[in-house]
């Protein structure tokens, strides 16, 4: 049998280099799929995002159906204001073994209010603030950053100086002042009247109007880089308008930065509302929130710890769920994200199994 020639060896090596390394998703894995199908497939393949989505869905359904919302009654027999006789001295009646729910699964406070109802009401407040701030801050941040990064010149100068002015204002201090104004119930002020009747909504709107600056700066940087790419030049030559180039061509390529920042902003919004309520300038009695529950029951941490732990647990679960969902969405929308299975690469003995990431990370080669 004749030995392979040097040309045959070179061709074989070249063919091996062109094959995607073992353990890495091939770049053409989604050939024939629409953009929506590709995003959905990637998101559903992200285990952390699915766990976060399921956890958040459970919390959302429990919070908004158990104690009711906007006048719609819920399925739980108590509300966050109702006082009832202490059962088992207020100790939680839920147990894992034997599995039982009981009359007051999260326990009761000293005066007999049901902690489950109060925690669900607090979760409603946190989710409402989170959604309002995410929508407002995301919209303003994207618009300001896109206009500044795409048009440059005086547009960029004006918008970035406005961003610099807002970014130095302490958001917590302004939110506290707004909450104090709302608490005065001054009938002569439309702002105080609106904030008094829609406290948590007003707080979310206000915080959304001052928390967009970080996203605006990030989006400006992305647009400064993407506006010089070849596909943008091709869109200009084909006669596309500036609005179409911004929102149809450039923005989809910056979706990863947008999603990560918005989810972080939403998580921070929950913590901001918690801090304000803890300091006594956020949600006020007779309404309640997770931060207010922690503030009211901090002195009972040693004697009745369940009054502190359940609200704190829901704060952590909501924040982690949103962050996991955002991480999954970032990976789903970013075409450069690729999965690498080191064990699979090692087992198959692929010639690029040891060094595949730099060669096939989605930015070099085919």
């Amino acid at each position: 049998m004749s030995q392979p020639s040097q040309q045959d060896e070179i061709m074989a090596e070249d063919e091996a280099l062109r094959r995607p390394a073992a353990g890495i998703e091939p770049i053409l894995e989604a050939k024939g799929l629409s953009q929506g199908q590709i995003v959905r497939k990637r998101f559903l393949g992200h285990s952390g995002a699915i766990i976060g989505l399921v956890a958040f869905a459970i919390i959302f359904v429990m919070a908004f159906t158990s104690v009711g919302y906007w006048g719609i009654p819920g399925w739980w027999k108590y509300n966050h204001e109702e006082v009832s006789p202490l059962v088992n001295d207020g100790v939680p009646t839920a147990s894992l073994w034997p599995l039982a729910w009981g009359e007051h699964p999260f326990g009761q406070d000293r005066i007999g209010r049901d902690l489950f109802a109060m925690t669900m009401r607090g979760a409603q407040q946190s989710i409402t603030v989170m959604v309002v701030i995410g929508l407002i801050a995301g919209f303003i941040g994207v618009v300001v950053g896109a206009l500044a990064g795409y048009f440059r010149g005086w547009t960029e100068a004006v918008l970035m100086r406005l961003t610099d002015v807002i970014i130095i204002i302490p958001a917590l201090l302004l939110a506290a002042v707004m909450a104090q104004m709302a608490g005065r119930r001054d009938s002569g002020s439309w702002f105080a009247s609106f904030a008094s009747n829609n406290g948590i909504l007003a707080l979310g709107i206000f915080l959304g109007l001052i928390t967009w600056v970080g996203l605006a700066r990030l989006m400006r940087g992305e647009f400064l880089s993407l506006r010089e790419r070849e596909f943008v030049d091709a869109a200009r030559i084909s006669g596309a308008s500036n609005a179409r180039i911004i929102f149809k061509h450039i923005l989809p390529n910056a979706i990863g930065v947008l999603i990560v920042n918005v989810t972080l902003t939403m998580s921070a919004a929950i913590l901001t509302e918690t801090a304000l309520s803890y300091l006594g300038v956020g949600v006020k009695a007779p309404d309640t929130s997770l931060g207010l529950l922690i503030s009211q029951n901090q002195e009972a941490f040693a004697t009745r710890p369940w009054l502190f732990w359940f609200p704190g647990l829901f704060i952590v679960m909501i924040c982690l769920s949103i962050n996991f969902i955002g991480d999954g969405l970032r990976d789903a929308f970013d075409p450069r994200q690729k999965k690498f299975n080191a064990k699979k690469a090692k087992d198959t003995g692929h010639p690029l199994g040891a060094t595949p990431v730099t060669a096939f990370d989605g930015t070099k080669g085919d």
Side-chain angles (χ1 to χ4, degrees):
M1 181 179 295
S2 60
Q3 297 293 329
S5 64
Q6 183 178 6
Q7 183 177 3
D8 293 336
E9 292 179 353
I10 294 176
M11 293 179 62
E13 182 179 355
D14 182 67
E15 182 180 356
L17 289 173
R18 289 179 179 275
R19 291 198 306 267
I24 301 182
E25 293 180 0
I27 292 177
L28 298 178
E29 64 168 345
K31 186 176 181 180
L33 300 178
S34 66
Q35 182 64 29
Q37 291 173 324
I38 296 173
V39 171
R40 183 166 60 252
K41 179 182 177 182
R42 288 177 175 271
F43 181 79
L44 294 177
H46 195 290
S47 57
I50 297 302
I51 294 174
L53 182 62
V54 171
F56 180 75
I58 293 174
I59 295 173
F60 183 89
V61 172
M62 286 180 59
F64 285 89
T65 62
S66 58
V67 295
Y69 194 68
W70 277 354
I72 302 175
W75 51 264
W76 187 239
K77 51 190 170 183
Y78 299 106
N79 59 44
H80 65 281
E81 298 177 351
E82 185 175 352
V83 177
S84 59
L86 288 177
V87 176
N88 194 24
D89 195 31
V91 178
T93 58
S95 64
L96 295 177
W97 188 261
L99 187 63
W101 187 251
E103 185 74 9
H104 300 281
F106 288 6
Q108 296 170 276
D109 63 7
R110 291 188 180 91
I111 63 175
R113 292 178 299 181
D114 183 68
L115 185 60
F116 177 79
M118 291 190 292
T119 303
M120 293 300 101
R121 176 60 178 172
Q124 287 183 3
Q125 305 284 54
S126 296
I127 294 173
T128 301
V129 167
M130 176 189 71
V131 172
V132 171
I133 291 179
L135 292 176
I136 295 177
F139 177 77
I140 298 177
V142 167
V143 172
V144 172
L147 294 178
Y150 181 79
F151 289 107
R152 304 293 303 273
W154 66 267
T155 303
E156 179 186 21
V158 172
L159 293 177
M160 286 300 100
R161 298 299 75 77
L162 174 63
T163 302
D164 293 337
V165 170
I166 296 179
I167 205 171
I168 65 174
I169 301 176
L172 197 63
L173 177 61
L174 281 182
V177 172
M178 187 277 297
Q180 289 289 71
M181 292 177 61
R184 294 187 312 181
R185 300 186 182 276
D186 182 5
S187 58
S189 170
W190 69 268
F191 171 78
S193 177
F194 172 79
S196 298
N197 297 323
N198 307 273
I200 199 67
L201 182 60
L203 180 62
I205 293 174
F206 180 81
L207 290 176
L209 293 174
I210 60 176
T211 55
W212 53 267
V213 289
L215 176 59
R217 294 169 71 93
L218 288 174
M219 294 303 296
R220 169 184 170 270
E222 285 292 307
F223 269 72
L224 285 175
S225 174
L226 293 172
R227 71 190 295 270
E228 306 299 334
R229 301 286 293 272
E230 292 81 0
F231 66 88
V232 176
D233 293 336
R236 290 196 186 99
I237 294 174
S238 65
S241 63
N242 289 328
R244 181 175 178 82
I245 294 175
I246 291 174
F247 294 104
K248 185 69 175 180
H249 297 280
I250 300 181
L251 185 58
N253 288 276
I255 198 70
V257 174
L258 171 62
I259 290 176
V260 171
N261 190 270
V262 168
T263 52
L264 291 175
T265 300
M266 294 169 72
S267 297
I270 298 177
L271 300 178
T272 302
E273 181 275 324
T274 300
L276 289 171
S277 298
Y278 181 83
L279 295 174
V281 293
V283 177
K284 297 182 180 180
D287 207 345
T288 189
S289 71
L290 297 177
L292 185 59
L293 288 175
I294 292 176
S295 176
Q296 292 174 339
N297 299 304
Q298 60 179 333
E299 296 179 358
F301 180 78
T303 58
R304 306 170 75 87
W306 58 88
L307 298 176
F308 185 91
W309 282 113
F310 283 112
L313 176 63
F314 271 79
I315 292 174
V316 173
M317 290 177 61
I318 293 173
C319 291
L320 286 179
S321 298
I322 294 301
N323 284 335
F324 284 150
I325 293 171
D327 189 50
L329 289 173
R330 189 273 314 276
D331 291 350
F333 279 101
D334 191 349
R336 296 170 296 180
Q337 293 292 328
K338 304 191 67 62
K339 293 182 180 179
F340 172 67
N341 190 325
K343 182 178 179 180
K344 184 177 179 180
K346 181 179 179 181
D347 293 342
T348 56
H350 194 280
L352 292 182
T355 58
V357 177
T358 56
F360 295 95
D361 62 352
T363 59
K364 297 181 180 179
D366 292 328

